[in-house]
C-alpha cells in the first residue's frame, strides 16, 4: 500500500514518530487550517457576545449595525 503510514519505534518497541505520505499530510494540514479559521470566528463571536452582555449590564450604548457599516464603508 503506497499511502500507508510508517512508524518509527524506539529500542523498547514504543512508537515514537510517524512518517506520513505528503498528500496525506497536505490534506491534514488543509483541514487543520480550516479548523483554525473556524475557531477564530467562533472565538470572535463569543467575545462579541460577551461584550454585548457586559455593555447591557452597565447600560453602555452600543454602536448600531447601520453605523458600523457606514463607518466601514468610509
Amino acid at each position: 500500500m503506497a499511502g500507508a503510514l510508517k512508524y518509527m519505534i524506539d529500542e523498547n518497541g514504543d512508537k515514537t514518530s510517524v512518517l506520513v505520505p505528503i498528500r496525506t499530510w497536505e490534506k491534514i494540514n488543509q483541514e487543520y487550517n480550516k479548523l483554525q479559521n473556524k475557531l477564530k470566528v467562533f472565538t470572535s463571536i463569543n467575545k462579541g457576545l460577551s461584550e454585548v452582555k457586559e455593555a447591557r449590564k452597565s447600560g453602555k450604548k452600543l454602536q448600531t449595525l447601520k453605523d458600523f457599516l457606514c463607518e466601514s464603508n468610509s
Side-chain angles (χ1 to χ4, degrees), residues 16-73:
T16 59
S17 304
V18 63
L19 295 172
V20 180
I22 192 69
R23 285 188 181 165
T24 303
W25 173 251
E26 288 169 349
K27 264 179 130 173
I28 291 169
N29 203 33
Q30 188 177 45
E31 284 301 312
Y32 173 78
N33 287 328
K34 285 180 187 178
L35 289 172
Q36 286 293 98
N37 289 334
K38 283 183 182 182
L39 179 61
K40 286 179 189 176
V41 169
F42 289 140
T43 301
S44 295
I45 290 170
N46 191 34
K47 182 180 175 192
L49 292 173
S50 295
E51 289 174 7
V52 168
K53 186 177 180 180
E54 286 301 314
R56 285 185 176 163
K57 274 186 187 177
S58 67
K60 180 180 175 185
K61 187 171 192 251
L62 297 171
Q63 185 179 31
T64 65
L65 178 58
K66 182 178 178 180
D67 291 342
F68 173 76
L69 293 173
C70 288
E71 181 182 286
S72 298
N73 289 328

